[in-house]
Amino acid sequence: MIISNSLLFKFFKFKNSLFLLLYYIVITNIPLLILTWYLNASRPIIVLDYVLIFPLMFFFENKFFRILFIILFILVYIVDCLIWVRQFFPFMRFEDILTLSQMLFDGPNIYKILIFTSLILFFLQNLILFKLAKKINIPEKKIGIVAGIILIIILYCNLPANKDVGMYETKGWINSQVLYVYRLKDNLLYNMLSWQANLVSSPFIPASYSWWPDKKLKHDMSKKTLLIVHESWGYSNNSTLNKEILQKFIVKKDNFVYFESGHISALGATIDGELRELCQLKSTNFNLKSIKNGFEECLPNQLKRRGYETYAFHSASSTIYDRSYWYKKVGFEKSTFFENVKNPILCYSFYGNCDSNLFSTVGGIFRKSNKSFVYWLTLNSHYPYDLKDLKLKPRINCIKYNMLLGSEECRNVQLTTQFIDQLAEMTSDISMKGVEVILVGDHEPPIFHKSKNYKIFKENSVSWIHFKVKT
């Protein structure tokens, strides 16, 4: 009877410890899972890293272990949040985080909400966990530690074995965000610590392919050229929508020597789209400042050797993606960024100058230069596609194309169409006579609240147009 009571006592203690562990797993995972569900993003249901530090809770009466738990929990929480945020912003380096944090209060409301929510959830989690730890009594410690170790082993044995982890592949039942960082080829750690990057050939053919000197040209390259890499311009599965987006160009076709359009395959972040079009290259991570050689044969350098003046424009900060450094390396003689604009008008989708303010500046280059190559990386169609950046009355009927009004797809299409309409209008300016233009998307637009019944954009594809204005 004594043995029976003793076994029963241990069983209930084990049961209590198990419930404590399960409660801990719920508390540490449910907040970000709710945000993940709301934004249709990706995250493992159980992040193993929280479970690894669980046994420390059984030693909370010791100040050392209590502080150790707090430090480790903060580190795991930060890694968890950064890997989660990486779905929205592939760049994650200390200098980029600092740059963006200074601009937070001028940015989109969704970012303010996410950061504020994350901080609130963090403090609530810790408050609950500390109260939970106080309820643990001495006899439960050994049983709880054993239960925790057993669960860690079980969970670790069920981790995905695939080491070829993609940018958004952080979902599934169980995973380790810390291990994800380690496995990722151009991982968060490499970027944050500014480790060495290397240039490799891009797997995709650029829209600017016909401009490269060693290619057989379909059209002779003009003395005045404009390459625009447009933020988040995808290619719709609906051909009618693609045509309507370009409608302002189609009605002006008689003003062009030629006008061509299509789509190409593309994958990665904005910087991948830039390097694809400018250099036919790809970087192994985002620390381009660490690259000393390899940019010599990029298109601007080749054109500069052929007598072209080379200019670059971008409405965001030059520090992001090290553009102030590598734009010089690829061959741009003069670059204009947000900090170079005297009286910028702020836009909302991403902190920076409004693209609409650059049309006259770009036109001015062609007005004064007889042989120039101008590169323009747009900004205002960046996720989350804030409609406060919409200055023109939208002409695309989203409902007609199975897009809900106000949805991410609809907002993206409306902002993209606005820029294309403004560019079409710009071609009527006298400064654009004889100018050859290529406009191409950098990557497929990130859409997190996807339609369950219909996918608007073709996966891993971007649109392009190529035309020359008559003299």
Side-chain angles (χ1 to χ4, degrees):
M1 189 69 177
I2 294 175
I3 295 175
S4 177
N5 286 337
S6 176
L7 289 172
L8 190 64
F9 173 78
K10 288 182 178 180
F11 171 76
F12 279 115
K13 291 301 176 184
F14 175 79
K15 187 178 178 182
N16 290 341
S17 298
L18 187 60
F19 277 129
L20 178 67
L21 180 55
L22 293 175
Y23 188 60
Y24 171 85
I25 291 172
V26 171
I27 292 299
T28 51
N29 287 280
I30 200 67
L32 273 180
L33 282 177
I34 292 172
L35 287 176
T36 299
W37 168 80
Y38 176 73
L39 292 172
N40 197 29
S42 295
R43 182 188 181 273
I45 293 175
I46 298 175
V47 173
L48 177 61
D49 311 306
Y50 292 110
V51 183
L52 289 173
I53 62 174
F54 170 74
L56 293 175
M57 289 188 66
F58 292 92
F59 300 95
F60 257 38
E61 75 279 0
N62 184 299
K63 186 177 180 181
F64 170 78
F65 287 107
R66 192 162 62 246
I67 293 173
L68 180 61
F69 175 86
I70 293 171
I71 293 171
L72 291 176
F73 184 86
I74 290 173
L75 290 175
V76 170
Y77 188 79
I78 289 173
V79 170
D80 193 12
C81 287
L82 288 179
I83 291 295
W84 188 82
V85 169
R86 192 174 186 272
Q87 299 169 82
F88 306 89
F89 294 104
F91 58 81
M92 271 297 146
R93 301 179 305 160
F94 285 121
E95 55 263 49
D96 291 334
I97 293 171
L98 290 173
T99 299
L100 290 176
S101 64
Q102 295 168 11
M103 308 170 181
L104 175 64
F105 292 102
D106 293 309
N109 290 330
I110 187 172
Y111 301 153
K112 302 172 193 174
I113 293 169
L114 287 176
I115 291 176
F116 180 74
T117 303
S118 298
L119 291 173
I120 294 295
L121 291 175
F122 173 76
F123 287 113
L124 285 176
Q125 281 176 317
N126 277 274
L127 181 64
I128 294 170
L129 291 176
F130 269 78
K131 288 189 176 182
L132 198 63
K134 290 180 180 180
K135 295 184 179 181
I136 302 173
N137 53 46
I138 301 299
E140 288 181 310
K141 285 187 178 180
K142 291 182 180 179
I143 299 171
I145 293 170
V146 171
I149 292 173
I150 290 172
L151 187 64
I152 289 169
I153 293 171
I154 292 172
L155 293 176
Y156 186 82
C157 290
N158 283 278
L159 283 177
N162 180 24
K163 294 185 179 182
D164 298 322
V165 185
M167 186 182 298
Y168 307 116
E169 296 170 8
T170 57
K171 51 189 176 182
W173 282 92
I174 304 163
N175 215 327
S176 166
Q177 301 291 53
V178 174
L179 191 60
Y180 172 81
V181 168
Y182 175 76
R183 283 177 173 176
L184 201 60
K185 188 176 181 181
D186 58 341
N187 63 55
L188 181 70
L189 190 61
Y190 278 85
N191 288 320
M192 292 193 73
L193 297 181
S194 298
W195 288 358
Q196 179 66 44
N198 295 295
L199 294 172
V200 297
S201 295
S202 172
F204 305 109
I205 298 174
S208 62
Y209 183 82
S210 63
W211 282 354
W212 290 77
D214 59 340
K215 310 304 178 191
K216 186 177 180 180
L217 301 180
K218 184 177 179 180
H219 309 289
D220 291 332
M221 188 171 181
S222 303
K223 291 184 178 180
K224 296 182 179 182
T225 54
L226 172 61
L227 172 62
I228 306 174
V229 173
H230 187 65
E231 175 65 45
S232 300
W233 185 23
Y235 183 76
S236 175
N237 286 309
N238 190 318
S239 59
T240 305
L241 175 57
N242 291 321
K243 289 179 181 177
E244 188 167 351
I245 290 172
L246 299 176
Q247 186 60 35
K248 295 289 185 179
F249 274 101
I250 294 172
V251 298
K252 300 181 74 170
K253 63 181 180 179
D254 292 337
N255 295 348
F256 308 123
V257 178
Y258 53 83
F259 180 87
E260 303 163 342
S261 65
H263 68 281
I264 57 172
S265 297
L267 181 65
T270 297
I271 196 169
D272 296 308
E274 290 191 89
L275 289 173
R276 179 192 72 229
E277 297 298 329
L278 292 172
C279 306
Q280 296 191 44
L281 295 173
K282 177 180 172 60
S283 177
T284 53
N285 65 58
F286 299 146
N287 299 310
L288 272 74
K289 197 172 183 178
S290 67
I291 301 174
K292 306 303 179 185
N293 301 297
F295 294 113
E296 294 80 13
E297 296 305 313
C298 290
L299 185 59
N301 272 325
Q302 293 197 47
L303 294 177
K304 190 165 63 171
R305 292 195 292 266
R306 292 164 62 188
Y308 282 78
E309 297 174 8
T310 55
Y311 302 84
F313 292 89
H314 183 47
S315 291
S317 170
S318 65
T319 61
I320 297 174
Y321 285 145
D322 295 327
R323 288 190 177 99
S324 59
Y325 170 81
W326 69 268
Y327 271 24
K328 296 176 184 177
K329 289 285 186 180
V330 301
F332 291 120
E333 296 168 306
K334 185 177 181 181
S335 298
T336 301
F337 298 102
F338 172 69
E339 57 267 31
N340 307 127
V341 180
K342 290 184 179 180
N343 298 302
I345 299 176
L346 293 180
C347 274
Y348 298 90
S349 294
F350 195 99
Y351 187 89
N353 188 28
C354 291
D355 289 327
S356 57
N357 299 333
L358 287 177
F359 282 100
S360 60
T361 306
V362 171
I365 298 294
F366 296 122
R367 204 174 279 115
K368 69 179 183 180
S369 174
N370 293 322
K371 196 173 185 180
S372 55
F373 171 71
V374 177
Y375 170 68
W376 183 359
L377 174 65
T378 68
L379 180 67
N380 303 148
S381 51
H382 196 286
Y383 185 87
Y385 321 121
D386 197 319
L387 288 183
K388 289 196 290 291
D389 291 335
L390 197 62
K391 309 303 180 185
L392 303 179
K393 183 179 179 181
R395 62 176 178 81
I396 300 292
N397 182 352
C398 289
I399 295 176
K400 176 183 174 181
Y401 297 104
N402 296 318
M403 293 182 285
L404 294 175
L405 288 176
S407 66
E408 292 172 348
E409 293 99 333
C410 180
R411 300 197 309 267
N412 169 270
V413 168
Q414 288 176 339
L415 288 169
T416 296
T417 303
Q418 173 179 254
F419 180 85
I420 290 173
D421 288 354
Q422 291 172 320
L423 180 62
E425 182 64 28
M426 180 189 182
T427 62
S428 298
D429 190 88
I430 191 171
S431 65
M432 293 296 289
K433 288 185 178 298
V435 177
E436 184 180 355
V437 182
I438 290 178
L439 170 66
V440 60
D442 56 351
H443 53 69
E444 177 189 358
I447 302 294
F448 295 97
H449 284 100
K450 296 182 177 71
S451 169
K452 294 181 179 179
N453 302 317
Y454 180 70
K455 185 172 174 60
I456 302 298
F457 299 106
K458 182 178 173 65
E459 190 173 3
N460 300 332
S461 294
V462 295
S463 299
W464 61 265
I465 57 175
H466 183 191
F467 63 92
K468 182 177 179 179
V469 184
K470 289 180 178 179
T471 54

